C-alpha cells in the first residue's frame, strides 16, 4: 500500500518570531508563528514543524506558551524541536500540545535520550532532527552537525541516523545544511543515501525553491517534503505543491 506524501511547512522560530535565512544565516523576519500556523492549517498543510533554531546555541528553552497557542489553533499534527535536552522537555512539549518532538543536538551529546524518550512516549512521538553537511572526513561523506549547524559533531551522519532509528526514533527530519535556503532543490544524494540505510519515514528539508523540486525528493526516497521560505513569502502554495506531486503520480492527502 502506498502512503500519501505529506507536505509540511516549517517555521524556524527565533525569539518568538518566524525567521528564514540562507544556510541558517542572515535571518529575516517572516511573521508571527501562531498566525502562520493558522494560515497553514487552513491552506491544507498535512503537518507543521516548529524549530526553535537558537534554543540549543543560546541555551534557552523552547517557548511552551507559543506551542500551546499554536496547538489550540491547529487540527493537524505539530512537531516541535529546538533546545530539547531531556525526557522532561519532551514531556512538557507533548503536554503543551505537540504531537511529536524533534531531538537534534542533545541526541548527539546523549544518544540514550532517544532511547528513553521512545520508551516513555512511543517512537511515533520521537523525530530525529539532523542537520547534515558534506564532509570529506566522514565515511559516508556526510556529517551530522549540532547547535543549528554551527558546530561539527564528528559523527558520520548515516551512522548516527542508523543508531537513532535503532534506539527508537520513529522518523527523521533530514535537513541539508548545504542546500538550506538556496532554493536550488533538495540534496537528492543525501536523501537516497539515508533511504538506503533506514526504513523509517524521511522528511526531506532544505533547498526547495520551485514546484519541480518536490517530486525528485520523493523519487530519492522522501516520505514527506518540507519547505519554509517559499511558503512564508507566498512564492508557492501548499496546494500547488500537492498538484505538482499528483501530476507526477504521487498520492497526496
Amino acid at each position: 500500500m502506498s502512503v500519501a506524501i505529506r507536505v509540511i511547512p516549517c517555521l524556524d522560530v527565533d525569539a518568538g518570531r518566524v525567521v528564514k535565512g540562507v544556510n541558517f544565516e542572515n535571518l529575516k523576519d517572516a511573521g508571527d508563528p501562531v498566525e502562520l500556523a493558522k494560515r497553514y492549517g487552513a491552506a491544507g498543510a498535512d503537518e507543521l514543524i516548529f524549530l526553535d533554531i537558537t534554543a540549543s546555541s543560546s541555551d534557552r528553552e523552547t517557548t511552551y506558551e507559543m506551542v500551546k497557542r499554536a496547538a489550540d489553533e491547529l487540527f493537524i499534527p505539530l512537531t516541535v524541536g529546538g533546545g530539547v535536552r531531556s525526557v522532561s522537555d519532551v514531556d512538557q512539549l507533548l503536554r503543551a500540545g505537540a504531537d511529536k518532538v524533534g531531538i537534534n543536538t542533545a541526541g548527539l551529546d546523549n544518544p540514550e535520550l532517544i532511547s528513553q524518550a521512545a520508551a516513555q512516549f512511543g517512537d511515533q512521538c520521537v523525530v530525529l532532527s539532523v542537520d547534515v553537511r558534506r564532509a570529506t572526513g566522514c565515511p559516508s561523506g556526510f556529517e551530522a552537525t549540532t547547535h543549528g549547524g554551527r558546530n561539527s559533531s564528528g559523527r558520520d551522519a548515516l551512522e548516527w541516523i542508523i543508531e537513532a532509528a535503532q534506539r527508537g526514533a520513529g522518523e527523521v527530519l533530514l535537513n541539508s545544511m548545504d542546500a538550506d535556503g538556496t532554493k536550488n532543490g533538495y540534496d537528492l544524494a543525501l536523501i537516497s543515501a539515508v533511504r538506503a540505510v533506514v526504513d523509517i519515514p524521511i522528511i526531506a528539508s532544505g533547498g526547495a525553491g520551485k514546484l519541480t523540486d518536490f517530486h525528485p525528493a520523493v523519487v530519492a526516497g522522501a516520505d514527506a517534503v518540507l519547505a519554509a521560505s517559499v511558503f512564508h513569502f507566498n512564492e508557492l502554495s501548499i496546494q500547488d505543491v500537492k498538484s505538482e506531486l499528483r501530476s507526477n503520480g504521487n498520492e497526496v492527502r
Side-chain angles (χ1 to χ4, degrees):
M1 186 182 75
S2 64
V3 177
I5 301 301
R6 291 167 287 152
V7 179
I8 306 177
C10 181
L11 307 185
D12 293 327
V13 180
D14 179 23
R17 298 290 291 178
V18 177
V19 295
K20 194 58 202 162
V22 177
N23 306 126
F24 281 26
E25 294 178 350
N26 303 318
L27 303 176
K28 64 179 178 179
D29 190 281
D32 174 70
V34 179
E35 286 305 310
L36 276 172
K38 278 170 67 174
R39 193 179 96 194
Y40 288 134
D46 296 308
E47 295 185 16
L48 199 62
I49 294 180
F50 270 20
L51 294 179
D52 193 335
I53 60 170
T54 51
S56 289
S57 59
S58 59
D59 200 37
R60 177 173 45 74
E61 288 190 356
T62 302
T63 314
Y64 297 114
E65 188 55 39
M66 183 187 69
V67 173
K68 278 197 185 83
R69 286 169 50 223
D72 286 345
E73 301 285 352
L74 286 172
F75 300 96
I76 55 175
L78 174 63
T79 297
V80 182
V84 176
R85 298 179 191 85
S86 65
V87 170
S88 172
D89 289 342
V90 177
D91 184 51
Q92 282 186 266
L93 283 169
L94 293 173
R95 288 176 189 275
D99 298 280
K100 298 184 265 191
V101 175
I103 297 175
N104 189 333
T105 296
L108 280 156
D109 292 341
N110 172 27
E112 193 59 30
L113 173 59
I114 291 172
S115 307
Q116 291 166 347
Q120 189 159 335
F121 307 109
D123 56 7
Q124 78 284 350
C125 290
V126 180
V127 177
L128 174 70
S129 178
V130 58
D131 297 322
V132 179
R133 67 181 173 207
R134 279 177 161 71
T136 52
C138 292
S140 70
F142 295 105
E143 179 194 26
T145 66
T146 66
H147 299 82
R150 291 170 184 80
N151 301 340
S152 166
S153 73
R155 285 280 328 246
D156 182 276
L158 295 196
E159 288 176 8
W160 169 230
I161 291 167
I162 291 167
E163 179 183 341
Q166 290 170 341
R167 286 180 175 275
E171 190 166 39
V172 56
L173 170 54
L174 183 64
N175 189 50
S176 167
M177 297 302 302
D178 301 307
D180 178 75
T182 64
K183 299 187 182 176
N184 292 328
Y186 293 96
D187 189 331
L188 304 179
L190 172 61
I191 298 167
S192 298
V194 174
R195 177 77 293 154
V197 295
V198 293
D199 57 9
I200 59 174
I202 295 171
I203 303 169
S205 169
K210 56 190 182 299
L211 285 177
T212 52
D213 288 336
F214 294 90
H215 176 63
V218 175
V219 173
D223 302 271
V225 285
L226 177 150
S229 58
V230 291
F231 292 146
H232 302 339
F233 302 118
N234 297 312
E235 294 164 33
L236 300 176
S237 78
I238 289 160
Q239 293 305 327
D240 287 343
V241 172
K242 289 190 172 188
S243 295
E244 172 70 13
L245 287 169
R246 257 190 220 102
S247 72
N248 281 285
N250 299 293
E251 186 181 334
V252 296
R253 293 180 184 174

